[in-house]
Amino acid sequence: MQQTLSIIKPDAVKKNVVGKILDRFESNGLRIAATKKIQLSRADAEAFYAVHKERPFFGELVEFMISGPVVVSVLEGENAVAKNRELMGATDPKEAAPGTIRADFAESIDANAVHGSDSLENAAIEIAFFFARREIL
Ligand code: CMP
């Protein structure tokens, strides 16, 4: 059993497809152990994506992530980290396999509908960033 962090990004929340995306997780063997809708502050977004702060897209990434509410969830299941990444598809929706969340709901590499932890180690860090232990059930 693993846990991983999912963020449904502002583009997908604005499109009103939160339920459709959560259904992809539940229909593919992942359980929602925690979920909440929040508005990230600039400091939140900068801290969450600190690993990317030297990348040329960092400024746009932060602006985009604070452009509206997001839905953060803890997903649990066998191989949850890899399973979530498989369901999301490639970071750039133009390269995402048909039937993946990004192929179906994302517009661009910036507005790419979802984020998912890229390793078990980062999953633990990202989950702790958003959730208290008592919120994960
Ligand atoms: P995410 O999985 O949330 O992690 C970092 C985000 O940066 C990524 O999804 C993309 O939305 C965004 N991004 C913008 N440009 C790039 C790029 N060239 N390479 C990787 N990520 C990018």
Side-chain angles (χ1 to χ4, degrees):
M1 272 303 172
Q2 293 181 348
Q3 291 182 336
T4 189
L5 184 88
S6 161
I7 306 179
I8 302 178
K9 296 188 181 185
D11 58 320
V13 174
K14 279 184 190 132
K15 277 188 189 165
N16 211 22
V17 291
V18 170
K20 285 185 176 148
I21 292 175
L22 292 177
D23 178 59
R24 297 284 175 106
F25 302 140
E26 291 190 321
S27 298
N28 287 280
L30 295 173
R31 196 178 70 77
I32 298 166
T35 194
K36 59 188 172 189
K37 188 183 206 178
I38 56 172
Q39 171 66 52
L40 297 182
S41 67
R42 184 175 297 278
D44 288 333
E46 287 176 353
F48 183 78
Y49 281 118
V51 60
H52 294 305
K53 67 174 181 294
E54 306 303 333
R55 308 282 288 271
F57 57 81
F58 183 69
E60 278 174 39
L61 174 60
V62 168
E63 290 301 330
F64 174 66
M65 291 302 289
I66 66 175
S67 67
V70 297
V71 173
V72 290
S73 306
V74 177
L75 306 178
E76 188 177 272
E78 250 177 65
N79 288 318
V81 172
K83 167 70 77 178
N84 181 37
R85 292 182 70 79
E86 185 188 316
L87 294 173
M88 288 192 301
T91 305
D92 185 345
K94 290 197 280 297
E95 288 160 22
T100 60
I101 293 168
R102 283 168 171 156
D104 290 346
F105 301 115
E107 304 305 328
S108 68
I109 194 162
D110 296 302
N112 67 350
V114 279
H115 164 83
S117 309
D118 64 0
S119 67
L120 200 49
E121 190 190 2
N122 282 338
I125 294 166
E126 292 182 358
I127 288 168
F129 186 90
F130 286 111
F131 292 97
R133 267 175 186 258
R134 67 178 178 281
E135 295 178 301
I136 304 169
L137 302 163

